[in-house]
Amino acid sequence: MERRWRVAVATRDGKVVGEHFGRASAFYIVDISPDGTCGFTEKRPVTPLCQAGEHTEQGLASSVSALSDCCAVLVARIGTSARRALELNRIAVFEQPDLIDSALGKLAKYFIQTNFAKPEA
């Protein structure tokens, strides 16, 4: 099986990485191949984590679980507790408010140059 990096992108419109992790109601799941090409896999709905500026541990665990097959998330913003929860579950966090194509291009270049791998448990 060919190696690839699966990334969850927080977006409202499918064009801009413009969503805060906790406010996202869906993530676009993208696979990045070793040659740098990106392929859209699915739009994955989630329950927004933040409600009135607060979140529950159960909600955070549910969001992290929904992205467990991803090696990274690409978001506009993320809070420290959500970042830590993702990292503890071996999901890297990249804050990059940008056009999705541009942000994924930068991420693909980084993955290829560093031979990025999911951190060991």
Side-chain angles (χ1 to χ4, degrees), residues 8-119:
V9 181
T11 181
R12 287 183 209 179
D13 61 7
K15 296 177 184 170
V16 177
V17 181
E19 192 72 290
H20 185 286
F21 178 81
R23 292 189 188 103
S25 60
F27 287 87
Y28 281 56
I29 307 301
V30 177
D31 287 339
I32 301 174
S33 297
D35 66 1
T37 58
C38 300
F40 173 78
T41 302
E42 67 176 296
K43 181 178 178 181
R44 189 174 296 170
V46 295
T47 301
L49 176 59
C50 292
Q51 303 292 329
E54 296 186 15
H55 66 269
T56 64
E57 290 303 313
Q58 181 180 2
L60 181 55
S62 176
S63 292
V64 171
S65 177
L67 304 176
S68 64
D69 62 327
C70 298
C71 69
V73 294
L74 186 55
V75 298
R77 300 279 299 156
I78 189 168
T80 53
S81 61
R83 175 186 293 273
R84 184 74 179 133
L86 287 163
E87 290 172 347
L88 286 171
N89 284 277
R90 302 175 48 214
I91 302 171
V93 176
F94 295 91
E95 284 185 86
Q96 183 68 46
D98 198 349
L99 293 174
I100 290 175
D101 288 344
S102 175
L104 285 172
K106 293 172 192 173
L107 198 56
K109 186 175 180 180
Y110 170 75
F111 285 169
I112 293 165
Q113 287 178 343
T114 64
N115 197 25
F116 182 83
K118 231 178 175 178

